[in-house]
Amino acid sequence: MAVPQQNQPARDVKATRVGLKLVLCFTEGMFRHRRTLSDRAYAKTLDTGKMVLRKSQREPETRHFLGNSGDVWNDMVSMFILALPMLEEQSFAKPDSLMGDFNGSCSNVIAMNHTSLMLDLERLNDILTIGRNMLATTTRAQNLAAEAGFDQQVLKLINICIRVTARGFDGEAGRSETQWASAVGSYKKLLITCLQFLHNLVMHNEHRKLLLWLDLFGNSKSSEPYSAMDFDTNHSSSKSVKQEAFSINAQDGNPNDEDFSLALTALRSNEGLKKFFNAPQAGQLASEVLKTVDGFVNMTLGQDKKAELATTRSSGDPTTMQSQKHPWNWANLPDSIIYADPRGGEIREDDIRMGRSPESAAETLKEAKDQLMARLQDPSPFPIGTVEQEHNNQIGNNGDMQVVDDGEPLGSEMAADGSIDDDESDEDYRGPGDQERGLLTDIPLVLGPLEIEALPMIIQAGIANNITPTPGLGQKELQNMQAVRCNILLAQETGRNLLRELLIFIAAWDLQEDEFYFKLMVQIMEAILQNGLMPFAYQTFGEVKDIVSPAQSIVIKILTQIFRKKQGLPPVAGTPIPTSRVPQREALSRVDLLVVRYIFTVFRQSIIPETCALIYLQGRIRAGAAPPEDFPLNLWDMERVYEGVYQFLEFFAVLTESEDWKDLLVKWEIVSELITLLRELDAGIPKGPLSKMSKDAANHDAAAAARGSESGQDTVTLPLAVERPYDPVTDFPPNDLAPASVPNSPSQALDNQEPADFEWRNLKKLVVLVLSSLVWKSPTVQDQIRRYGGVEMVLNCCNYDANNPYIREHAIMCLRFLLEGSKDNQDIVKKLEPREGVPNEVMDKSGYETFIDEAGKVGLRKKNGGVASGHL
């Protein structure tokens, strides 16, 4: 059938439009007066709506005609205005007149209104799905929907969905719990449709993307922009959230944020935001705004901390200064501003210079150890302000050391015993629907991996490079628009909160690199990298009690994948790439160089000293110099530290596969940090006995077989431990939503283990692997390893260790590269006293032996010339 002309639509398309208007009219009447029509008439209306829904899915001409009908969008808005307060009435207890909040059991309210609520949710989901389909036509449909104010209704509906799904069951167990669970499942389906609608609203529409960004991330101070009951019934678009939420009150302004305020004013006052401007106008607006927006994120970081620090310094009172010092500084991060390069440029000599020397890092480690032991002996809070203060100064653009007076290091307010008061850490969290956290921030807490994909797709569409050409916009204008939105996303706390939760989602669900969600997050973080905001993003994702927070660990993990791609490496180590699709290595850019320098500075300045101090304390506890109960972290904290350090090492391992990056790491003497970590692990963590290796392997095989027989599925790696303020709701009908809804709990791996006995499994082996990559055919690294006492450390790794399987084989390989052509290193080995070799008990009993193939890789094979079973 030929596609009908816009001015002369086919008869069946007209009939569909009439049917939809009738559905909207009857549904609006139902929400206005429940008994307007009989139940049979309402059922017929529901069936008609589903017929229109099917047509909008299958027939492009129907979508086109309905989407370009302004009166249809107006009717949908009128219906939603009446429907949303009705949903709240059926889902929440009545508000307390004194407290101004909903009290009582919302679950009981949902159970009491279960029958009517489920029908209402189904009707709204069908109509919203039709609207979503209507947007998949032209830009005109997107603009008509927004002009009618339908996008604002969807934002209000998202708020209701989140407040219901994230709240959890608070009634009495029994039939009401079953009804509540089914209602939550329907709310989740509606939430997913809302996200899909927003995605279709902004696709290939730069104007709509910018306005949506202002709605979502314009101002984190707007606490009540999405209250459905307070909505003006004339639904004028002039009352939209962007104009209310994006206003700056005089008392909230900061004279130090002049550029930031100018940027917001430029966006708020521009006439293009009040009417539909064309693509060239959008590009011009972005170019003008970018002059003030570019890099303003650095001006909004830690204003409260700046004021507090300024007050402390101006008082000059040593008592006051000491009382405000942090008892333990977990994350003394370098200033992210000097590592930002949002506009790109040529690499300068100063960009390569490392301002933090290995000697200063060694002094920091010594001070950290001394203070940690002193804090254990003194129960009073121990000030950290004297810890290598001159080395905690930040690095200037010229590579010299300079004092930064614009904020305190991340990490604060740990109790005297090393613990953190959970009440204090969660006092800013106000429960589901808290708008200061952001409208979308709680969505990763209630949806699963297959359900949430539309949310990162929205962020990706807003800030990632748009490969689809836009009429009237050149590549430069598109990049400016994306840069504006990227800055807005990170400038406000709402955007940073959402991005943090999206990153933690990867760890909570143990998502792999080949999964769609992970690929979307790689594109999002790559856009942040290209805009020079990666150092700032890493710094803002820090947590109070973590050396490396879960979000920061995922940032490093994603950076590893990004740099793999830049170097033409496969996304997963050991995965071959077809020769027809081998990507080209990208040349070093200044923004990449500054990010790598920042990551390495964090590694040297914060990660290694603080991690090694913990390992040192573990050794002292084993030696009886300190009681185990005084260890400052719990197992969950140790898991997060371990995951973060491991991701850093994997990142550097990938860099060593590029000669350019390898030369820089050698110039910065990363060997110093690697040997320090190896030395502390060797001294503080005992090697696992061979008997444990055999027992662990047997237990692992038995557990895997048991899980496989019970579930019929392959086993998966336990995810990174992540604490949540509340558990995500998971009780919903399996036929309605994705089958997987609960991430695997890592608690099984943490049972029956004390934090002081944490084993740091496979960490030494990874350090040896990085050393092997560095020292291969590098006399400079051979000399560096010898200078830092690394030859003995590598030799110590040539023994079996159940905590680091096959480390002996990797250490032998590293030792081979270390001694090759280096007489000085060979002399050190000759002078060492010989020790008795460890018998190869495990492999002898199993009939296996190690070997080195032509490529220099260590492998495992059966004895007597058997076929190789694989590399190690």
Side-chain angles (χ1 to χ4, degrees), residues 242-262:
K242 55 183 163 291
Q243 295 182 1
E244 298 176 2
F246 210 64
S247 61
I248 304 178
N249 297 327
Q251 61 268 25
D252 294 332
N254 191 308
N256 295 327
D257 291 342
E258 181 179 356
D259 290 342
F260 180 50
S261 300
L262 288 175

Side-chain angles (χ1 to χ4, degrees), residues 221-476:
K221 297 296 183 182
S222 57
S223 58
E224 296 293 339
Y226 305 110
S227 176
M229 292 184 175
D230 295 335
F231 188 77
D232 187 356
T233 55
N234 64 13
H235 60 273
S236 170
S237 60
S238 63
K239 296 281 187 179
S240 62
V241 176
K242 55 183 163 291
Q243 295 182 1
E244 298 176 2
F246 210 64
S247 61
I248 304 178
N249 297 327
Q251 61 268 25
D252 294 332
N254 191 308
N256 295 327
D257 291 342
E258 181 179 356
D259 290 342
F260 180 50
S261 300
L262 288 175
L264 299 182
T265 303
L267 286 174
R268 185 179 67 253
S269 62
N270 192 283
E271 292 298 322
L273 298 181
K274 302 176 183 177
K275 64 182 181 180
F276 300 127
F277 51 78
N278 55 32
Q281 290 173 326
Q284 183 180 4
L285 168 66
S287 299
E288 294 174 355
V289 171
L290 195 60
K291 296 176 182 178
T292 52
V293 168
D294 196 9
F296 68 50
V297 288
N298 295 308
M299 304 177 189
T300 67
L301 176 63
Q303 295 296 337
D304 295 338
K305 294 182 179 179
K306 293 180 186 179
E308 179 183 351
L309 187 62
T311 301
T312 303
R313 286 175 176 169
S314 62
S315 66
D317 183 1
T319 305
T320 305
M321 295 180 67
Q322 178 169 334
S323 65
Q324 295 193 15
K325 293 293 184 181
H326 302 317
W328 184 249
N329 178 18
W330 288 115
N332 184 25
L333 298 180
D335 185 7
S336 63
I337 301 178
I338 60 178
Y339 294 92
D341 179 35
R343 310 317 307 152
E346 297 293 331
I347 296 177
R348 303 191 293 262
E349 183 64 28
D350 291 342
D351 299 332
I352 304 176
R353 185 180 305 166
M354 176 56 58
R356 185 87 179 191
S357 67
E359 292 74 19
S360 67
E363 294 177 15
T364 302
L365 173 59
K366 181 179 182 302
E367 293 286 346
K369 289 180 179 180
D370 294 342
Q371 287 195 14
L372 189 58
M373 296 304 297
R375 187 172 62 84
L376 295 179
Q377 298 173 7
D378 184 3
S380 61
F382 190 83
I384 194 77
T386 57
V387 178
E388 199 55 40
Q389 187 141 5
E390 60 178 298
H391 294 293
N392 286 340
N393 295 336
Q394 308 303 324
I395 306 166
N397 286 323
N398 60 356
D400 298 329
M401 308 299 287
Q402 65 178 21
V403 179
V404 175
D405 295 336
D406 62 348
E408 296 176 310
L410 295 180
S412 61
E413 306 313 321
M414 181 171 279
D417 60 354
S419 62
I420 288 183
D421 189 347
D422 291 336
D423 293 336
E424 283 188 20
S425 62
D426 292 340
E427 64 181 359
D428 294 332
Y429 183 78
R430 303 182 181 180
D434 173 22
Q435 294 308 323
E436 291 195 14
R437 277 174 49 83
L439 175 65
L440 307 179
T441 302
D442 288 334
I443 293 180
L445 303 178
V446 299
L447 296 181
L450 298 180
E451 304 156 2
I452 201 177
E453 289 178 350
L455 179 55
M457 288 174 67
I458 294 171
I459 307 301
Q460 183 265 354
I463 68 173
N465 284 336
N466 187 3
I467 61 176
T468 303
T470 301
L473 278 181
Q475 188 64 26
K476 182 66 174 179

Side-chain angles (χ1 to χ4, degrees), residues 470-661:
T470 301
L473 278 181
Q475 188 64 26
K476 182 66 174 179
E477 287 76 12
L478 282 175
Q479 290 178 352
N480 286 344
M481 294 289 285
Q482 292 154 2
V484 168
R485 292 189 293 268
C486 191
N487 275 267
I488 292 174
L489 177 67
L490 286 172
Q492 294 295 311
E493 189 174 358
T494 53
R496 296 195 295 267
N497 286 340
L498 173 60
L499 195 55
R500 179 187 294 109
E501 290 297 332
L502 290 175
L503 290 168
I504 294 176
F505 189 87
I506 294 176
W509 290 89
D510 193 27
L511 301 182
Q512 303 303 310
E513 291 83 353
D514 58 346
E515 299 191 49
F516 183 63
Y517 182 96
F518 192 97
K519 293 178 180 179
L520 287 173
M521 292 306 301
V522 169
Q523 295 180 37
I524 292 172
M525 298 308 294
E526 192 168 10
I528 293 175
L529 171 65
Q530 291 170 352
N531 284 281
L533 300 175
M534 186 63 76
F536 173 79
Y538 179 90
Q539 183 167 326
T540 58
F541 293 149
E543 299 291 345
V544 171
K545 61 180 177 180
D546 290 328
I547 295 176
V548 187
S549 72
Q552 289 175 327
S553 295
I554 299 301
V555 168
I556 302 300
K557 183 176 183 178
I558 291 177
L559 276 176
T560 302
Q561 296 303 313
I562 293 175
F563 279 85
R564 276 187 173 278
K565 177 183 174 183
K566 289 177 178 290
Q567 295 172 209
L569 300 174
V572 181
T575 304
I577 299 180
T579 55
S580 59
R581 294 188 298 171
V582 175
Q584 297 294 325
R585 290 177 178 263
E586 296 184 14
L588 267 62
S589 65
R590 184 168 187 260
V591 65
D592 290 347
L593 174 59
L594 292 178
V595 166
V596 172
R597 198 182 91 180
Y598 175 81
I599 296 300
F600 180 78
T601 303
V602 172
F603 186 68
R604 169 170 286 175
Q605 179 173 315
S606 172
I607 306 299
I608 289 300
E610 293 162 8
T611 301
C612 289
L614 288 176
I615 298 172
Y616 170 77
L617 179 57
Q618 287 182 267
R620 298 300 295 166
I621 290 175
R622 286 189 174 91
E629 56 269 18
D630 285 348
F631 196 76
L633 300 183
N634 58 35
L635 270 177
W636 296 91
D637 299 330
M638 294 296 288
E639 283 286 323
R640 290 196 290 270
V641 175
Y642 168 75
E643 179 70 17
V645 176
Y646 203 93
Q647 293 299 338
F648 268 87
L649 291 175
E650 285 201 329
F651 176 70
F652 293 128
V654 168
L655 293 185
T656 58
E657 299 187 43
S658 164
E659 289 301 322
D660 293 333
W661 290 120

